[in-house]
Amino acid sequence: MSDLYRDNLIRVKEEIDSICQKMGRSSAPVIVAVSKNRTPEEVKKLLDLGIKDFGENRVQEFLDKVPYLPDFIRWHFVGHLQRNKVKYLLRLPGLKLIHSVDSLRLARKISQEGKKQDRVISVLLQVNLAGEESKFGFSENQLYRIIPELKELPYIEYQGLMTMTPLVEDAEAVRPVFQRLRQLRDMMAEDKGENFPMRELSMGMTQDYLVAVEEGATIIRLGRAVFPD
Ligand SMILES: *Cc1c(COP(=O)(O)O)cnc(C)c1O
């Protein structure tokens, strides 16, 4: 079993490295292994191979899993977050980044809870660029409108943008989505502010991470590419 994990990871890293070389990128993207529906034992296999960033998409599953795993893991929350779950999520040790802030109300709630714990929470803003009804996230227009209000929230730091791509057979089909997310990030990064570094681009999953890296992803979220079935 653990050979499968190693083989997967070696292949993924080689592919990423060769793209970074081709694009003249000096730093590789962070690989977040999305461990939803995986056991702590499966997570440990990847930990042993040097992966330290893991992502979950449901708060309850996250809470159940964390006690079985070492506390040096950097946890990422990548799923839709309900406001009534924020306080439980923020209590988790090792929570590094919430990728999926998709409403002003949610951002306000995170800032409130951050205040109670006296710490600033790092988040990404989720953008729904493909306009899919079934996906969460701000539309571009919404985002422009509420940026001033988002920036006023004192206990949040906006590290960048995240998007979920539609299911496609040919990853090339989503290249324009990644390009647009990068343009948006670049525009927002000009709009400086203390809590608005806007450097990260969380984009690319198993189906399309190679294209995402070509288009400048700084964080990729991989499930099936790194966990054997
Ligand atoms: C499950 C999930 C992923 C990983 O999906 P794969 O196709 O298995 O790589 C990435 N991002 C989010 C938000 C997810 O829920």
Side-chain angles (χ1 to χ4, degrees):
M1 239 347 222
S2 91
D3 281 271
L4 265 180
Y5 285 82
R6 207 184 53 233
D7 294 349
N8 278 351
L9 204 58
I10 288 173
R11 186 175 39 78
V12 166
K13 285 191 167 169
E14 278 175 359
E15 285 172 337
I16 292 173
D17 282 349
S18 89
I19 290 177
C20 288
Q21 266 180 13
K22 185 178 85 182
M23 310 301 289
R25 272 182 70 159
S26 53
S27 59
V30 171
I31 296 173
V32 173
V34 181
S35 48
K36 63 181 185 215
N37 305 322
R38 310 284 177 173
T39 63
E41 284 62 42
E42 292 175 282
V43 170
K44 281 177 191 159
K45 294 260 198 324
L46 285 178
L47 264 178
D48 288 345
L49 294 167
I51 295 285
K52 297 208 175 58
D53 290 81
F54 289 87
E56 288 287 334
N57 72 337
R58 291 207 314 269
V59 173
Q60 190 55 54
E61 182 181 344
F62 200 172
L63 292 168
D64 292 343
K65 206 173 285 181
V66 159
Y68 296 98
L69 289 162
D71 56 13
F72 58 79
I73 290 183
R74 299 187 288 247
W75 287 107
H76 298 247
F77 190 78
V78 301
H80 177 60
L81 179 56
Q82 289 167 312
R83 280 173 295 143
N84 61 2
K85 302 270 172 68
V86 169
K87 61 171 180 274
Y88 305 109
L89 182 65
L90 296 198
R91 273 183 212 148
L92 286 173
L95 179 70
K96 178 161 191 240
L97 185 63
I98 300 174
H99 289 226
S100 42
V101 170
D102 56 10
S103 74
L104 181 57
R105 293 167 81 202
L106 175 61
R108 284 194 180 121
K109 184 73 187 172
I110 292 171
S111 188
Q112 268 171 22
E113 292 295 330
K115 180 175 183 186
K116 281 187 203 160
Q117 297 187 13
D118 194 28
R119 64 184 178 115
V120 174
I121 313 299
S122 282
V123 308
L124 305 178
L125 297 169
Q126 182 172 351
V127 194
N128 180 359
L129 285 172
E132 285 182 290
E133 297 263 337
S134 60
K135 297 244 162 72
F136 292 100
F138 296 104
S139 71
E140 275 186 55
N141 284 338
Q142 274 172 335
L143 198 53
Y144 286 123
R145 248 196 340 265
I146 64 162
I147 288 285
E149 285 171 272
L150 289 170
K151 282 173 129 179
E152 276 172 17
L153 300 172
Y155 288 85
I156 294 192
E157 194 162 274
Y158 300 94
Q159 304 294 353
L161 302 178
M162 178 272 225
T163 199
M164 290 273 285
T165 37
L167 212 66
V168 289
E169 271 179 27
D170 178 7
E172 281 301 323
V174 291
R175 189 182 292 277
V177 173
F178 296 145
Q179 289 172 335
R180 187 63 195 149
L181 196 73
R182 187 182 58 196
Q183 286 169 355
L184 261 181
R185 191 270 322 258
D186 291 347
M187 280 188 295
M188 291 188 172
E190 282 174 22
D191 182 18
K192 292 215 170 34
E194 214 178 306
N195 66 341
F196 210 69
M198 276 288 156
R199 285 191 202 95
E200 308 295 340
L201 279 176
S202 168
M203 57 188 197
M205 316 191 294
T206 296
Q207 69 166 11
D208 51 24
Y209 68 96
L210 295 174
V211 177
V213 176
E214 283 178 350
E215 295 302 334
T218 63
I219 304 173
I220 54 178
R221 310 179 308 267
L222 301 180
R224 291 162 297 145
V226 291
F227 285 104
D229 282 327

